[in-house]
Amino acid sequence: MVPPPSSNHQAIQQFLSSVLSQRGTAALPYSEDTKWLIRQHLLSLTTTSPSLEPKTATFTHNDGRTVNLLQADGTVPITFISVTYNIPVIIWLFESYPRHPPCVYVNPTRDMIIKRSHPFVNPSGLVSIPYLQNWIYPSSNLVDLARELGSVFGRDPPLFSQRPKPNPNPNYHPNQSSLGSVGNTGGGGGYPRPIVRPPQYPPYGSGGAVGKVEAEDAAEVYKRNVIDKLVENVHGDMLQLSKTREAEMESWFSAQSVLRGREEEFNKGLKEMRDKMEGLELHLQVVLMNTDVLEAWVRENKGKLKGVSEDIDVDNAFECVDVLSKQMLECTAVDMAIEDAVYSLEKAVQEGAMPFDQYLRNVRLLSREQFFNRATAAKVRAAQMQAQVAGMAARAPRYAT
């Protein structure tokens, strides 16, 4: 089925909408969720490449199945040696399109032949370019495919024009040769091809450019193809090496960030340890100063004990300088004595020498007395601080204002 013979874009839209909306036995074998995308791909292709026309035709698979599929039939323009040529191609959209790539065949006419040992076209005309092999759904599309076909075929054209042989029989017509008719191809089949060695003529072109381009030497063509293939392989290796090095650099950057974080933690811990060491050194100096003071006091008062009776009253061993100091001494002594008493009561309860209820009553009484002594000590300490501040203020020099 072919769309109406009109160049109007609207006619192509109506044709695609009609064939993709059919139901029943006439429905095309595409999934419903991809029909709209297929329609958009073909519309974009006809917009950028008007020479490719959407059609429906019967395709035969390798297993003998026949199915009605969409195809884009026409020519792809290429530029070879500064001359523009048109390469006839057929782009079949299989049932799994667009999740899988389409199938592309070059479609030579009777006066063309496929170039042997072409890197991207086999003898049956099946095209296998890197864009088809690296097809990615849904980013890959027919517009980019046609552009890539033009680029690849421009570097190495897959078709050559045949020089017609002289006909000794005047009744013989070249159009009735035994090359076979051109029909639909299967996945593994192809168009009937003449089994002849391709002559070294310029590729098939448009606009009468065939006669203007001189034949190229086979060695030069082979050399150019080898160079193009080598450049392509080197470019692929460089891309792969670049991706590998980028991945390695990312891993190195990650390791560097981890090491920097650990360095910051280490520096922070080291600073804390140094601050703590300085604090301990200051505390050690204070302890050494207090030790020197106590040793000096011991040396000073050691001789005073000679000739004094060994029976010394402990309560009179220390003399307080004022009433507040004496009261503070008494409160502190009572507080520490209560601590010792509570400790002894706890040991007695653990050993079973005292009933638990009696222990609770004694602890309650002692705790009450300890609370009042500690409160008195706090008040005395505040009074001593106030008196010390008043004394410092009284000793400070007074300046006339």
Side-chain angles (χ1 to χ4, degrees):
M1 183 176 181
V2 182
S6 174
S7 60
N8 191 355
H9 188 67
Q10 185 177 2
I12 297 177
Q13 290 182 352
Q14 293 177 356
F15 166 73
L16 292 176
S17 300
S18 175
V19 297
L20 289 173
S21 61
Q22 292 178 355
R23 296 292 183 270
T25 57
L28 296 178
Y30 302 107
S31 58
E32 293 296 331
D33 58 336
T34 59
K35 285 185 177 181
W36 183 87
L37 185 59
I38 294 173
R39 178 178 178 272
Q40 295 302 117
H41 281 190
L42 287 172
L43 289 176
S44 300
L45 178 64
T46 55
T47 301
T48 58
S49 302
S51 59
L52 291 171
E53 183 181 6
K55 301 177 181 179
T56 56
T58 303
F59 185 88
T60 303
H61 288 282
N62 291 338
D63 55 3
R65 291 184 298 107
T66 59
V67 61
N68 198 29
L69 298 176
L70 280 168
Q71 63 173 211
D73 188 6
T75 59
V76 174
I78 68 170
T79 302
F80 182 72
I81 317 179
S82 302
V83 180
T84 301
Y85 302 92
N86 292 320
I87 302 298
V89 297
I90 297 179
I91 303 176
W92 289 93
L93 307 186
F94 282 171
E95 299 91 329
S96 58
Y97 184 85
R99 292 185 172 87
H100 294 87
C103 185
V104 182
Y105 284 89
V106 293
N107 187 23
T109 59
R110 292 183 181 274
D111 58 343
M112 288 187 291
I113 189 171
I114 298 177
K115 178 183 177 181
R116 290 190 179 185
S117 302
H118 194 277
F120 301 113
V121 180
N122 66 8
S124 67
L126 180 63
V127 179
S128 177
I129 62 175
Y131 188 84
L132 292 172
Q133 298 172 358
N134 301 324
W135 184 273
I136 299 176
Y137 172 79
S139 60
S140 300
N141 55 77
L142 297 179
V143 175
D144 294 340
L145 173 60
R147 187 181 299 112
E148 189 67 19
L149 287 173
S151 175
V152 173
F153 292 164
R155 294 192 298 267
D156 188 3
L159 299 177
F160 286 90
S161 61
Q162 295 187 98
R163 179 178 297 174
K165 297 180 179 180
N167 186 11
N169 186 2
N171 296 325
Y172 176 77
H173 299 283
N175 292 335
Q176 297 177 355
S177 62
S178 60
L179 296 180
S181 60
V182 177
N184 296 323
T185 61
Y191 303 96
R193 311 292 180 213
I195 307 177
V196 295
R197 183 176 182 83
Q200 300 300 323
Y201 297 134
Y204 176 81
S206 62
V210 176
K212 297 180 181 180
V213 182
E214 298 180 357
E216 289 186 298
D217 186 26
E220 291 296 330
V221 174
Y222 177 76
K223 179 180 179 181
R224 184 172 61 253
N225 293 341
V226 170
I227 294 175
D228 292 341
K229 188 67 175 179
L230 181 61
V231 170
E232 183 178 357
N233 293 338
V234 172
H235 182 65
D237 293 341
M238 289 178 62
L239 290 178
Q240 185 66 27
L241 183 61
S242 176
K243 292 180 180 179
T244 304
R245 292 296 177 264
E246 287 178 358
E248 292 179 357
M249 289 179 64
E250 288 293 335
S251 62
W252 291 342
F253 286 145
S254 300
Q256 185 180 19
S257 62
V258 172
L259 292 175
R260 286 179 178 175
R262 292 179 179 178
E263 181 184 9
E264 292 177 358
E265 294 179 357
F266 175 78
N267 292 334
K268 182 179 178 181
L270 182 61
K271 184 177 180 300
E272 292 177 354
M273 293 177 63
R274 287 176 177 175
D275 295 340
K276 186 176 292 185
M277 184 176 65
E278 291 177 0
L280 292 175
E281 290 177 352
L282 293 176
H283 183 68
L284 178 61
Q285 292 178 3
V286 173
V287 171
L288 293 176
M289 291 174 61
N290 293 334
T291 302
D292 294 339
V293 172
L294 291 175
E295 289 179 351
W297 184 85
V298 170
R299 286 194 302 270
E300 182 181 353
N301 294 280
K302 187 174 181 180
K304 296 180 181 180
L305 296 177
K306 295 180 179 180
V308 181
S309 175
E310 296 181 359
D311 188 9
I312 300 176
D313 187 6
V314 178
D315 294 332
N316 297 325
F318 296 94
E319 295 181 358
C320 299
V321 295
D322 53 12
V323 178
L324 293 176
S325 298
K326 184 177 181 181
Q327 190 175 4
M328 175 62 74
L329 181 60
E330 292 176 355
C331 291
T332 304
V334 172
D335 186 9
M336 298 180 68
I338 292 174
E339 287 287 340
D340 294 340
V342 171
Y343 177 76
S344 300
L345 291 174
E346 185 178 354
K347 286 293 185 181
V349 171
Q350 291 178 357
E351 294 175 359
M354 176 183 292
F356 187 71
D357 54 351
Q358 184 178 356
Y359 165 76
L360 292 178
R361 286 195 299 270
N362 292 333
V363 169
R364 188 182 299 111
L365 294 174
L366 292 173
S367 299
R368 179 181 178 83
E369 184 177 357
Q370 187 181 34
F371 172 76
F372 286 116
N373 278 279
R374 288 184 177 179
T376 303
K379 292 180 180 180
V380 171
R381 189 178 297 107
Q384 286 180 333
M385 184 65 67
Q386 186 176 2
Q388 185 178 0
V389 171
M392 293 175 61
R395 290 193 299 270
R398 297 181 180 179
Y399 298 94
T401 58

